[in-house]
Amino acid sequence: MLFKKRRAYFLYNFDEFSKTFKNNIDLLRKLIYNDKPLNLDDSVITVQIINICSIISNYHDENYVDLSNRVIKDIYQKYQILVEDNPNGNRPFELSDIGKALLSFFKSKRDSRANKIRDINRKLDKDISNYVLKHGVEIKQMIPVEKILTNWISQTNPAIRMLSLTHQKTEKKIIESNLSIKNIPNSIMDIFTSNIPTDDYYTLIRQQTIESIAGIGNALFIGILQKEKYYTTYFNDFLSLLSLVTKRLNFDSDILEEGRMLVLDVSMLIQNVIKTENSQVTLRKALDYNIEILCSALIESLLREQYRIKNEQVMYINYSNVTLGSLLNPDMNANGPFSKDHLLTLAYFLINSGENNDIGHNYQNKLAHLFNVYKNSLSLSAVCLLMYLLTDVLNTIYAGLLDYE
């Protein structure tokens, strides 16, 4: 009876009750199935059940392994049916979350079903891009995008307006990036869940936290690009702050021109894709690529110039060794405006990260080398994520300038 009333609580806090469930498989079976056929109506619960299956599949008990296999098979079959019965793409975000969890599970087991799920997920990625373009962003997450942006645009100071997109004031009155994520507690999920690569720093919970915070920034930028008053304000603020930083810190003047190139490309995307329901796919992809590669390059340029200004008076700099990877390495780029956690969060998105270089999105290298980018990396969502990361880097350098002054 307690399970029926508080099922979600026991599912989400599985690690706290793992010893109990490990000694009572019938109890665990009741928790998962809730005395009725499994359904995928709640994607968050379904993903958590997949995570639990990943944990119990590593138990040295065939009964638990069999239970895991049976539940995963059930979810896999029902997931395929749901996708096939969803021709209008009414649930692309929820289904995508389930698909990602299934794919991670099958990849960890080297299960051939991963190939089928990968194909389904690629289709859903297209559905998500089309859905966002057609219906806007508030459906994607329970984020009050319009309310946040209304408050954002009401601020009269352009620099403060820019900072508010990516930074906040701490209790100690320090301006800090939202991506400077620290003090993430460990969880038993990190010990047992092997369906995605992790290490001692990029734990499962840290990666989920990074994705969640970046997802909010991503949603805000999608919202900005959908209304003229928002994107006009952002473009003006971005170029104004980029000009200020470039001149005040004596950065390479080409950076400002490259910023203007970016604004032009984004404006073309708005006019030819976001405002046009039947835009050409190739044109959309071309503009996505131009924006994403420019954002990535500008991030690297800003980080390199920040590093140069900080170090050129005290040491010789061999610029052939100053790669994006080294700029995002806290051991090399310490004592600047970017904290260790901030740099490692940026690295999670931009390069291969982690102890084995197998963690994160690796956007910079994929874009630069055209590695499976056409189908997998070119989308409005990726555009807005990289615009968010670029804004964060620019704001951090400006915040460091304020601290210095």
Side-chain angles (χ1 to χ4, degrees), residues 209-220:
T209 304
I210 289 172
E211 295 281 2
S212 177
I213 292 173
I216 295 172
N218 185 5
L220 291 180

Side-chain angles (χ1 to χ4, degrees), residues 1 19 24 59 61 84 181 189 223 240 242 293 309 334:
M1 194 68 181
K19 289 183 179 179
N24 193 330
Y59 287 175
D61 186 323
E84 291 172 1
I181 302 165
M189 299 291 283
S240 175
L242 187 63
I293 196 72
I309 294 300

Side-chain angles (χ1 to χ4, degrees), residues 210 241 248 302 366:
I210 289 172
L241 193 61
R248 193 77 63 84
L302 286 169
K366 287 181 178 178

Side-chain angles (χ1 to χ4, degrees), residues 34 126 142 167 210 221 242 250 279 288 323 338 366:
N34 204 24
K126 294 179 182 178
M142 294 303 293
H167 285 58
I210 289 172
F221 271 79
L242 187 63
N250 196 28
S279 60
D288 287 345
T323 63
F338 295 87
K366 287 181 178 178

Side-chain angles (χ1 to χ4, degrees), residues 346-376:
L346 291 169
Y348 173 83
F349 290 106
L350 296 169
I351 61 175
N352 280 318
S353 305
E355 294 175 0
N356 299 315
N357 291 324
D358 60 351
I359 295 173
H361 294 272
N362 195 24
Y363 276 115
Q364 197 259 9
N365 287 324
K366 287 181 178 178
L367 290 164
H369 299 289
L370 289 173
F371 182 70
N372 291 335
V373 298
Y374 187 83
K375 292 181 178 179
N376 301 326

Side-chain angles (χ1 to χ4, degrees), residues 69-222:
N69 291 337
R70 190 160 59 253
V71 173
I72 290 295
K73 181 181 178 181
D74 194 5
I75 294 174
Y76 172 71
Q77 292 174 341
K78 289 176 178 175
Y79 175 69
Q80 291 183 85
I81 294 170
L82 273 177
V83 172
E84 291 172 1
D85 291 344
N86 188 47
N88 297 320
N90 294 324
R91 295 183 61 198
F93 303 108
E94 298 171 41
L95 293 174
S96 178
D97 290 340
I98 298 171
K100 289 175 182 176
L102 279 174
L103 179 61
S104 296
F105 180 91
F106 290 140
K107 285 173 68 176
S108 73
K109 305 300 179 185
R110 299 184 181 278
D111 190 311
S112 63
R113 285 176 290 183
N115 299 320
K116 176 67 174 178
I117 293 297
R118 184 182 289 110
D119 291 339
I120 293 174
N121 290 354
R122 285 174 179 170
K123 176 186 177 299
L124 283 173
D125 285 342
K126 294 179 182 178
D127 291 343
I128 287 172
S129 291
N130 293 333
Y131 194 92
V132 169
L133 288 170
K134 187 174 181 180
H135 299 284
V137 299
E138 289 185 296
I139 306 300
K140 182 174 182 180
Q141 299 184 42
M142 294 303 293
I143 302 170
V145 172
E146 187 62 33
K147 181 179 179 181
I148 293 172
L149 292 179
T150 299
N151 292 334
W152 165 73
I153 203 170
S154 68
Q155 300 177 73
T156 56
N157 186 311
I160 298 301
R161 204 160 45 219
M162 277 286 286
L163 280 170
S164 68
L165 287 171
T166 60
H167 285 58
Q168 60 183 325
K169 270 192 176 181
T170 66
E171 293 179 356
K172 297 180 179 179
K173 305 300 181 183
I174 298 171
I175 300 174
E176 187 174 73
S177 168
N178 296 326
L179 295 178
S180 186
I181 302 165
K182 45 185 174 285
N183 301 326
I184 300 294
N186 290 324
S187 163
I188 195 169
M189 299 291 283
D190 291 309
I191 300 173
F192 289 104
T193 303
S194 58
N195 56 356
I196 63 173
T198 62
D199 62 17
D200 289 342
Y201 182 81
Y202 292 107
T203 61
L204 177 66
I205 288 184
R206 177 174 289 277
Q207 290 184 53
Q208 290 175 337
T209 304
I210 289 172
E211 295 281 2
S212 177
I213 292 173
I216 295 172
N218 185 5
L220 291 180
F221 271 79
I222 294 176

